[in-house]
Amino acid sequence: MNTVTRKLVAEFLGTALLVTVVVGSGIAAEQLSPGQTGLQLLENSTATALGLAVLILVFGPISGAHFNPVVSVADWFLGRRRGTGLRAIELAGYIPAQVAGGLLGAALANAMFDLGVIQISRHDRLTAGHLLGEVVATAGLLAVIFALARSGRAALSAAAVGAYIGAAYWFTSSTSFANPAVTVGRIFSDTFAGIAPGSVPGYIAAQVLGAALGLTAVTWLYPDSAATADAVTVPHERTGNLPTSS
């Protein structure tokens, strides 16, 4: 199996398992703590933060553990002139793999809890506050990832990214989706973790805006960020080469 294929499989599986963690822990929280929204959020956010950190450790050395289209686009954009970061052919595969993984992850979580494998969420999340929350959450996520790479601390990304997402569940009104692939996957869970289809376009637009703001901040604070684009989220294999290091 060539390097590009292995990267795409890693992104597919990693995103699928991430959505399984998000949706599955949301279903479990709803069943274990009915009517206790704060406790449900604590259970969901704790599982997500820990699960994300583990998935970055497992899949990061292969694909960088992006699991997120806006991270992949930012990585390609930042490194395109320096020959670092994702190549265009990889980007063209990463995004479909991530979205497909998100869909599988939601279906898998539903099946594990004996729910309908394919559901459509009725959880409307579209308010101005929620959209602002997604801008903030995504900008912060991009800033954390790229700042760690630029400062030679990408090895800390598993812990830092997991901790950031866990915290952002609580300090953003949207509970920090911050990921278009995860957002699309969560359409198919009519549970605590779901999102109604009508809310999705606004969320994705807010995530794109947040990613642009976060990347702008990082490139201003760290002017030579492009040099370390291939260490996002963590140092990983480059196509046709041995694994890179930070």
Side-chain angles (χ1 to χ4, degrees):
M1 186 181 294
N2 64 40
T3 302
V4 172
T5 302
R6 291 174 61 247
K7 287 183 173 185
L8 298 184
V9 171
E11 286 296 300
F12 171 76
L13 292 176
T15 311
L17 291 171
L18 173 59
V19 175
T20 300
V21 169
V22 172
V23 173
S25 62
I27 296 171
E30 207 169 41
Q31 294 180 354
L32 294 170
S33 309
Q36 300 181 62
T37 305
L39 184 56
Q40 290 173 2
L41 186 61
L42 177 61
E43 293 160 349
N44 191 204
S45 62
T46 302
T48 300
L50 296 175
L52 177 56
V54 170
L55 292 172
I56 291 172
L57 290 174
V58 171
F59 295 104
I62 302 169
S63 67
H66 292 186
F67 311 149
N68 188 332
V70 296
V71 172
S72 298
V73 170
D75 188 30
W76 165 79
F77 180 81
L78 192 61
R80 71 195 190 287
R81 293 180 180 174
R82 296 282 294 270
T84 58
L86 281 186
R87 302 179 184 185
I89 189 172
E90 294 171 327
L91 178 64
Y94 266 47
I95 295 175
Q98 292 158 353
V99 174
L103 300 177
L104 175 64
L108 178 59
N110 290 336
M112 285 195 298
F113 285 89
D114 294 318
L115 302 176
V117 174
I118 301 298
Q119 305 178 334
I120 300 298
S121 177
R122 293 167 291 179
H123 192 167
D124 184 9
R125 298 175 180 265
L126 192 60
T127 70
H130 285 131
L131 295 182
L132 179 58
E134 279 301 287
V135 172
V136 171
T138 312
L141 176 63
L142 268 288
V144 168
I145 290 171
F146 283 88
L148 288 174
R150 177 61 187 88
S151 58
R153 296 174 294 161
L156 299 175
S157 289
V161 172
Y164 174 79
I165 291 297
Y169 259 79
W170 290 90
F171 73 74
T172 65
S173 57
S174 65
T175 66
S176 183
F177 284 46
N179 184 330
V182 170
T183 303
V184 171
R186 288 169 72 167
I187 292 173
F188 298 96
S189 175
D190 191 20
T191 65
F192 175 80
I195 180 171
S199 300
V200 169
Y203 265 55
I204 292 177
Q207 290 158 2
V208 171
L209 175 58
L213 293 174
L215 194 61
T216 298
V218 167
T219 54
W220 185 80
L221 292 168
Y222 297 97
D224 198 28
S225 296
T228 52
D230 56 5
V232 173
T233 298
V234 297
H236 54 280
E237 297 180 23
R238 296 199 65 196
T239 305
N241 293 306
L242 296 173
T244 62
S245 65
S246 56

